[in-house]
Amino acid sequence: MQEKKTDTACYKVVNDAKGSRYRFFCELSGAVVCMTQPIRGSTREEELTTAWETEGRRYFSKCGACGKWVCNAMYNPDVLQCVDCAPWEVAPRFCKQCGERIPAPETFCRKCGARLLYGEVQSQ
């Protein structure tokens, strides 16, 4: 069973003779993103903090909208949100600023220079 702490991603503790290993999961995809080396601590909370700060945290980003800890593949860094809160954009067909037709996926309008996408153009 996965446990949830507000200051870490979802995790599961796996105990063995060497200590506790923590598996951290993406809260959006459910994928295991990181499994730590064995950790020993005087309390479970101490172990969790050590596991998160030394190994787990670097593989996650926290959504600025919903607060979920998600793997970097499920995170839109252009707007600091998970892809549920800020899905990747579909390439526009017309410029919202000047109305110019956009024949190919572009980030900026060729006519007026307005930004068409907040991020990179995604292949479709």
Side-chain angles (χ1 to χ4, degrees):
M1 183 171 111
Q2 289 182 20
E3 297 179 40
K4 172 64 180 132
K5 298 290 284 182
T6 56
D7 55 345
T8 70
C10 290
Y11 66 93
K12 182 177 180 181
V13 182
V14 179
N15 295 309
D16 62 27
K18 296 180 182 179
S20 301
R21 292 178 182 258
Y22 287 77
R23 287 184 185 160
F24 291 104
F25 297 84
C26 173
E27 293 180 45
L28 203 53
S29 70
V32 175
V33 178
C34 171
M35 183 163 176
T36 67
Q37 296 296 316
I39 296 173
R40 289 189 183 267
S42 57
T43 66
R44 182 72 75 194
E45 191 64 36
E46 181 183 306
E47 285 181 359
L48 173 60
T49 300
T50 300
W52 179 248
E53 295 301 325
T54 60
E55 295 185 54
R57 172 68 181 93
R58 74 179 125 219
Y59 299 103
F60 293 87
S61 296
K62 188 171 187 177
C63 177
C66 68
K68 291 178 183 173
W69 285 101
V70 298
C71 64
N72 294 331
M74 301 300 286
Y75 187 71
N76 186 337
D78 295 326
V79 292
L80 307 176
Q81 295 178 0
C82 70
V83 296
D84 262 2
C85 294
W88 297 110
E89 292 181 306
V90 175
R93 296 176 190 252
F94 295 92
C95 175
K96 292 180 183 178
Q97 186 73 27
C98 70
E100 180 74 10
R101 186 178 186 300
I102 310 299
E106 298 285 340
T107 303
F108 295 94
C109 176
R110 291 181 181 181
K111 181 177 179 184
C112 72
R115 188 168 186 86
L116 302 170
L117 299 172
Y118 57 71
E120 296 296 320
V121 178
Q122 298 296 309
S123 58
Q124 311 221 354

